[in-house]
Amino acid sequence: MWWRCGHGQWETLPDALTNPADHDAWYARDEERRHRREEAKQRRQQEWAAERERWSQEPDPEPESTPEAAPCERCKGPITGPPGYDLEFVPPEDGRYCPVCPTGLCQHPTLRETLFGRRQRSK
């Protein structure tokens, strides 16, 4: 039994002569770390393979149905315009009127009309 300076216990001669802070000890610790990393990598790959297998067994989800577009608020027709309408003119972004209807909506009321309302035209 040997007492090694800086160590708190008695050691055998071979243990006392080996330096745990030398290159051999570092290589041994490095090999152990590499081994643990490889095991973790294999475990992850097995989990991923099991997950891929589970996904391949599941049926494809049903596609979500598109919500029915609300009709135009003025003419109650389809929001995309009447059938045969030129698709170059897209509906406005507000989604309230078809491409044909907003043409009459651009008339802003005057100050008098805002304050007193629209006057009925007499014939």
Side-chain angles (χ1 to χ4, degrees), residues 64-72 76-81 95-96:
E64 295 180 13
S65 61
T66 57
E68 186 67 32
C72 174
K76 304 298 184 219
I79 197 83
T80 57
R96 296 173 59 193

Side-chain angles (χ1 to χ4, degrees), residues 49-61:
E51 189 73 16
R52 281 193 300 272
E53 181 68 25
R54 186 178 62 82
W55 287 345
S56 67
Q57 298 298 323
E58 290 180 1
D60 291 337

Side-chain angles (χ1 to χ4, degrees), residues 19-34 37:
N19 186 1
D22 66 351
H23 290 291
D24 294 334
W26 184 86
Y27 287 126
R29 289 190 305 268
D30 188 50
E31 184 67 24
E32 180 64 29
R33 285 189 295 262
R34 185 187 60 78
R37 279 193 307 263

Side-chain angles (χ1 to χ4, degrees), residues 63-114:
E64 295 180 13
S65 61
T66 57
E68 186 67 32
C72 174
E73 290 184 6
R74 283 184 115 187
C75 67
K76 304 298 184 219
I79 197 83
T80 57
Y85 187 76
D86 187 10
L87 295 178
E88 180 180 322
F89 302 104
V90 295
E93 291 182 11
D94 64 0
R96 296 173 59 193
Y97 304 105
C98 65
V100 178
C101 289
T103 56
L105 296 177
C106 294
Q107 298 174 347
H108 299 290
T110 62
L111 179 60
R112 185 179 142 305
E113 289 174 341
T114 304

